[in-house]
Amino acid sequence: MNNKSLMLFTILLAVFVVPSSISGTAIALPFIAQELGNQASALQWVVNTFNLFFASFTLIWGAMADKFGAKKCLLLGVFVYVLGSLFSIIARDLLLLDIARALAGIGGASVFASGASLLIKNFEEKERAKAFAFFGTTAGLGITFGPTISGLLIDTFANTSMGGMLISYRAIFAFHFLVLAIVLLLGQALPKDDSNESAKNPFDILGAFLFVLSLFSFMAFITFIAYFDSQTLIALVVFFVCGGLFIGQQKSLHVKGLSPLLDLEVLKNKRFFGFSLVTVIAGFSFVVLLTYFPSFLQAVWGFSASSSGLFMLALTTPMLFCPFLVAKMLNSGWDTKRLALMMSLLMSAGLIILAVILYLFPVQWQILPVILLLFIIGVGMGLHAGGIDNLALSSVDPSKAGLAAGVLNSCRLGSEAVGVALYGALLFFFVSMSVSFLSINVADINAIVAGNTKDIADGTKSYLYAFCATLVILGVLCLVLSTYVWRLLKQKQ
């Protein structure tokens, strides 16, 4: 294996772990709740913290890779991810696990930002296209098989203990730890950073701090909104203050001719903005299902972790072929406006119809329609994954493509983080509402939200009602965004 092949293999190993962590970790939530406690907000943050810091630090690592070198940043990020995985294994309470997942999210962001930077700098044009095809395919494989691998690991080690600690869900984090430890060992295969290529502009530390704090406070507001207490109001105030300061500071850098962390000027381009909103729809539909549908399968249908992971292939399999399909569609002259609308409607309408079938159809009639709807939503996501970046970035001036890519990725990752947090808040709200018409106790709300419904009277009914109501609200929101996407794309630039 030559140096370039070994470098590509090393990067792809790391790339596989990150999306598999996003798609696979949520399947462990009921098991985490059984062992570490089922406090709803703390449990939500097991998923939220990874998504939050992954979204926040993708921009930051990209800027740092330009400033300090992609190899240094990639290996540092992988090391942080390894630490996060190790702390996730040994965590004995939800707070430590939340902190560990935050570290993993920070490290995961480096893998994508710095890994892509290494490919750009070390592969020529024809080789680069092939390398990025492997990069995208590997990410798709991670998303596709993350739930399946995680479910199999949980069931395999469900009754295994080590040092007085049940392995169970910890096998997922151990898998991440081992794979990324191999990446660190192979790190010598990565080419040295060229000191002459470091960015001339100083790294925007203030912008990075305000960006992270803005997104964190907004997600905290969404998480606490079901309680609507002083914490909710504090989070909202912090969001408005930090968000306003961040926008003002980024505009100031733009005016001064310096490189802002996030150039918001490209959002004035209506086509770019319209295509970018499709990523928000994906974050509020596909990513929510990817994260939380395994919990539904275990809580309502009584599936095991491994069976839930296998069932999720109905949703994730289209990620393997739809990116190639959309490329053929675009090359054959498909109207881009209609294509963007089709992606959006497949995901948003699919979400609403799924909720209706789960709530109204008899259980024995549900499995085949649900598999079909998950596949349809997955097709919408797969078409989006393969085409929306090309459509969005092609609508801006080539000289601004780099800045536009930063905005697009922030929109995508931020909406995924916010969508998952919004789902958790809505689920808690509707489970709390069900107390008024079902035979459940207030003390059981957290357990139901965590998916542990077996020993609770009407617990399954409460979870089903809350899950379907949440999907309908998210689906309607996505439908509204779909109509706005159509309006934006119809307007003349």
Side-chain angles (χ1 to χ4, degrees), residues 10 52 55 152 217 231 240 272 290 313 334 376 385 399 476 488:
T10 303
L52 166 67
L152 290 171
S217 57
Q231 286 182 308
F240 277 118
F272 174 80
L290 181 69
L313 289 173
W334 268 65
I376 288 170
S399 64
V476 169
L488 284 170

Side-chain angles (χ1 to χ4, degrees), residues 465-485:
Y465 157 74
F467 184 82
C468 293
T470 298
L471 291 194
V472 168
I473 288 179
L474 291 174
V476 169
L477 181 58
C478 290
L479 273 180
V480 172
L481 286 174
S482 298
T483 59
Y484 188 50
V485 166

Side-chain angles (χ1 to χ4, degrees), residues 23-31 34 145-158 168-169 172 293-295 297-299 302-313 454:
S23 65
T25 301
I27 207 167
L29 287 180
F31 301 90
Q34 288 171 9
F145 295 109
T148 307
I149 293 171
S150 297
L152 290 171
L153 286 171
I154 289 172
D155 281 354
T156 301
F157 295 97
S168 182
Y169 69 86
I172 298 172
F293 199 69
S295 296
L297 293 172
Q298 295 170 68
F303 279 23
S304 67
S306 55
S307 298
S308 300
L310 288 169
F311 196 88
M312 290 300 291
L313 289 173
K454 279 185 180 179

Side-chain angles (χ1 to χ4, degrees), residues 46-233:
V46 173
V47 176
N48 290 352
T49 47
F50 184 94
N51 291 341
L52 166 67
F53 284 94
F54 181 76
S56 302
F57 276 81
T58 298
L59 269 179
I60 295 169
W61 280 115
M64 288 178 63
D66 289 341
K67 181 67 179 174
F68 304 111
K71 177 182 179 178
K72 294 187 188 74
C73 288
L74 177 64
L75 293 180
L76 177 59
V78 171
F79 178 72
V80 171
Y81 204 139
V82 167
L83 282 182
S85 299
L86 178 61
F87 290 145
S88 298
I89 295 169
I90 64 175
R92 295 297 185 102
D93 60 67
L94 285 173
L95 178 60
L96 181 56
L97 182 58
D98 289 344
I99 294 170
R101 300 310 296 151
L103 284 174
I106 292 170
S110 168
V111 170
F112 271 70
S114 305
S117 180
L118 278 169
L119 295 184
I120 288 172
K121 292 176 180 177
N122 292 282
F123 285 90
E124 298 299 327
E125 190 170 344
K126 289 184 179 180
E127 289 182 321
R128 187 185 302 159
K130 192 174 181 180
F132 270 99
F134 279 115
F135 191 94
T137 302
T138 303
L141 288 170
I143 291 173
T144 302
F145 295 109
T148 307
I149 293 171
S150 297
L152 290 171
L153 286 171
I154 289 172
D155 281 354
T156 301
F157 295 97
N159 300 310
T160 306
S161 296
M162 183 178 292
M165 187 168 58
L166 189 66
I167 294 181
S168 182
Y169 69 86
R170 293 181 173 89
I172 298 172
F173 305 126
F175 170 70
H176 300 160
F177 175 88
L178 291 172
V179 174
L180 292 171
I182 294 172
V183 172
L184 285 178
L185 291 174
L186 294 174
Q188 61 183 354
L190 302 176
K192 292 182 178 180
D193 295 316
D194 186 347
S195 58
N196 295 324
E197 290 183 356
S198 60
K200 296 178 181 179
N201 290 322
F203 178 66
D204 184 12
I205 297 175
L206 178 59
F209 175 76
L210 290 173
F211 181 68
V212 173
L213 199 55
S214 298
L215 191 53
F216 175 80
S217 57
F218 185 60
M219 287 183 64
F221 166 71
I222 291 173
T223 304
F224 296 142
I225 198 169
Y227 305 93
F228 206 78
D229 53 13
S230 59
Q231 286 182 308
T232 312
L233 294 175

